[in-house]
Amino acid sequence: MTIFVNGEGLKYDEALTVDELIRRHQLSAATILVELNGSALHRRDWSGRQLKENDRVEVLQVAAGG
């Protein structure tokens, strides 16, 4: 299965949820925002959202500053 993560096509042997994808890439859930196919996805929905072939996931790093 191919999932596009930040524009890069990545191949996975098994189906993943958004939460599994985030953990697999060792991203800190506390500091990121996720868009799935152009729509923002609440963190509470990550574990129930199964990714499908050719889904597009954008992971945005939240940064504070001034």
Side-chain angles (χ1 to χ4, degrees):
M1 169 170 60
T2 301
I3 303 294
F4 293 89
V5 180
N6 291 350
E8 182 181 353
L10 302 175
K11 296 212 179 270
Y12 299 95
D13 292 330
E14 71 281 349
L16 298 171
T17 64
V18 172
D19 187 56
E20 290 167 336
L21 178 77
I22 297 304
R23 284 189 279 129
R24 179 170 288 193
H25 290 276
Q26 299 177 349
L27 299 170
S28 173
T31 60
I32 61 172
L33 300 172
V34 175
E35 284 186 3
L36 177 60
N37 299 321
S39 296
L41 193 61
H42 290 281
R43 187 173 295 135
R44 67 180 176 257
D45 297 328
W46 292 1
S47 63
R49 188 59 63 102
Q50 192 75 33
L51 294 170
K52 299 175 187 136
E53 181 74 24
N54 294 319
D55 271 350
R56 297 186 177 278
V57 178
E58 293 294 323
V59 179
L60 308 166
Q61 186 71 41
V62 177

